[in-house]
Amino acid sequence: MLFRRLRVGIFFATMTTLRSVKSLSTPFLAGKGTLVGTGTLGGVERDEALRTLYPAIEPYNTGRLNVGSGHSVYYEECGNKDGKPVVFIHGGPGGGCTEGNRCFFDPKLYRIILIDQRGAGRSTPTADLTDNTTWDLVRDLETLRETLGIEKWMCFGGSWGSTLALVYAIQHPERVTELVMRGIFLMKREELDFFFQHGTSMLFPDAYLAYSQHIPEAERGSLINAYYKRLTSDDTATREAAAKYWTTWEMSTSFAKPNVEYIEKGDDSEFAAAFARIETHYFVNLGWLPTPDHILESIDKIRHIPTFFTHGRYDVVCPFKSAFDLSQAFPEAEFVVCGRSGHSAGEEEHTSELVMACDRFAGK
């Protein structure tokens, strides 16, 4: 009986506390739809069916850019030749584009351009680090835009793709009509430490075990540097083993509900080689950005650009704080929180929000 009274007392005390929290009007708690006042809840929280990708399409044009230093950069065009131009900026860095990346956009309305960044995807030579920096990739985007005769285009990118989209827009704001992003990554030390060193390890200790134990204990104080050392080794077996463990770690943590097909990318030696090698190359150099807060410090240059971004509340690859920080610096942008999602654009909430945002920017 005493136990029952205690439970009832605790219940009513809890409800009273919750009612008090809901009634608070401080800016921190009075947000646009989430408990902590961050962004707008999207995905399954909307009173409508989730959108899915548009049907698969094939490119009407493919080509290569010889951008120097031996790099041949692949690009393709899909959809409507006379449509609204959008460039898809893939993640990683080193991830490359896939056929599914074409399908976030209505092909009747968009001129859809995909580009594999230096050393990634169908660009050659695979995994080459020569003159492969953020600023080289920004120049490649401009070369592609000029080659295709496009005055301005929408930039679409997730994860590292959001980083490059933001940096490109900051560098060339007059060439960007809109920004659509997912899984914000600001290329900051705190983000890298959280995912690759200690943070996500507390949530995925099972996946972290193999990733961390591939490196001798004496070198585990900086796993990024230890992996970079192996991924740039002259020994093929050393590079391939490191690429497998690095890639499997990231793929194991990208979905709130682990995706087996995604995890098995670690077994694809060609994909893993480019993905892991290029990622560590960029991360040990912090993307060659001039300051740790380069993106947030430069928001005034892009504040006028219509911008949408979504982030999974349970994203452990790019921590939610990155999106929160961007929203604080850039309140003019529309920020949507996917409350049941992790990192991947393949999760249904992210897919739906991104498709809807692209439809809106095309005037649908």
Side-chain angles (χ1 to χ4, degrees):
M1 179 64 71
L2 178 59
F3 179 67
R4 284 185 59 194
R5 288 176 178 171
L6 283 171
R7 285 198 303 177
V8 171
I10 291 170
F11 172 78
F12 281 111
T14 302
M15 293 305 294
T16 300
T17 301
L18 286 175
R19 282 195 295 269
S20 298
V21 168
K22 289 181 179 179
S23 68
L24 290 176
S25 58
T26 62
F28 181 67
L29 290 173
K32 302 175 185 176
T34 70
L35 178 62
V36 295
T38 303
T40 300
L41 278 174
V44 297
E45 301 299 329
R46 296 190 187 276
D47 294 327
E48 55 190 281
L50 293 178
R51 295 288 303 280
T52 57
L53 295 175
Y54 282 95
I57 53 173
E58 294 298 319
Y60 64 77
N61 179 44
T62 64
R64 289 186 172 274
L65 301 173
N66 293 315
V67 293
S69 304
H71 288 286
S72 176
V73 172
Y74 172 88
Y75 69 87
E76 65 180 40
E77 296 183 88
C78 310
N80 182 352
K81 295 179 183 179
D82 299 315
K84 178 180 175 62
V86 58
V87 60
F88 183 97
I89 303 175
H90 68 69
C97 293
T98 68
E99 294 178 357
N101 297 154
R102 306 165 182 161
C103 302
F104 287 96
F105 320 96
D106 186 334
K108 295 179 181 179
L109 299 177
Y110 275 100
R111 180 182 178 183
I112 307 158
I113 300 135
L114 277 64
I115 177 174
D116 285 337
Q117 296 156 27
R118 296 188 184 202
R122 291 149 291 189
S123 294
T124 57
T126 300
D128 189 11
L129 305 182
T130 307
D131 292 333
N132 193 339
T133 73
T134 303
W135 304 108
D136 292 308
L137 302 189
V138 168
R139 282 190 289 272
D140 292 349
L141 286 169
E142 269 299 272
T143 299
L144 177 60
R145 184 190 61 77
E146 292 170 354
T147 298
L148 297 179
I150 295 170
E151 182 181 357
K152 297 181 179 182
W153 52 7
M154 183 169 91
C155 293
F156 180 109
S159 193
W160 158 253
S162 75
T163 319
L164 185 53
L166 286 162
V167 172
Y168 172 80
I170 288 165
Q171 196 75 3
H172 300 284
E174 74 284 0
R175 299 303 181 187
V176 179
T177 56
E178 300 93 7
L179 287 165
V180 176
M181 299 176 290
R182 179 266 320 162
I184 299 301
F185 175 47
L186 302 174
M187 188 58 83
K188 297 177 69 173
R189 172 60 63 192
E190 66 181 16
E191 297 166 303
L192 297 172
D193 285 346
F194 177 84
F195 182 60
F196 292 106
Q197 196 65 34
H198 185 74
T200 303
S201 59
M202 300 290 285
L203 303 171
F204 285 85
D206 41 359
Y208 183 79
L209 189 65
Y211 159 72
S212 60
Q213 291 194 351
H214 179 66
I215 302 300
E217 187 172 0
E219 296 181 63
R220 290 180 199 162
S222 178
L223 289 168
I224 292 178
N225 286 335
Y227 268 96
Y228 182 61
K229 174 183 174 182
R230 286 156 179 79
L231 289 161
T232 54
S233 167
D234 292 331
D235 182 68
T236 302
T238 298
R239 291 197 307 272
E240 289 183 349
K244 173 183 172 65
Y245 282 102
W246 176 277
T247 303
T248 300
W249 163 244
E250 188 158 339
M251 300 304 156
S252 297
T253 51
S254 289
F255 284 73
K257 180 181 179 181
N259 182 306
V260 174
E261 182 180 352
Y262 218 62
I263 294 170
E264 289 176 347
K265 286 187 176 184
D267 296 324
D268 181 341
S269 59
E270 185 174 356
F271 171 82
F275 183 76
R277 182 174 160 92
I278 295 173
E279 275 204 337
T280 55
H281 174 61
Y282 274 69
F283 295 162
V284 297
N285 289 289
L286 292 176
W288 297 272
L289 298 185
T291 67
D293 286 310
H294 173 68
I295 291 173
L296 297 180
E297 292 169 348
S298 306
I299 291 299
D300 281 346
K301 295 182 179 180
I302 62 171
R303 201 175 294 283
H304 64 285
I305 297 174
T307 297
F308 170 92
F309 62 95
T310 179
H311 205 101
R313 171 62 75 179
Y314 301 109
D315 188 337
V316 298
V317 177
C318 295
F320 190 85
K321 182 178 183 294
S322 301
F324 177 77
D325 289 348
L326 180 61
S327 73
Q328 295 295 293
F330 194 1
E332 297 84 356
E334 181 182 0
F335 174 28
V336 169
V337 179
C338 290
R340 302 186 187 181
S341 300
H343 181 66
S344 176
E347 292 176 287
E348 61 179 6
E349 287 188 311
H350 286 309
T351 298
S352 181
E353 292 297 330
L354 293 168
V355 168
M356 289 194 296
C358 292
D359 278 358
R360 291 195 299 273
F361 282 138
K364 289 186 72 172

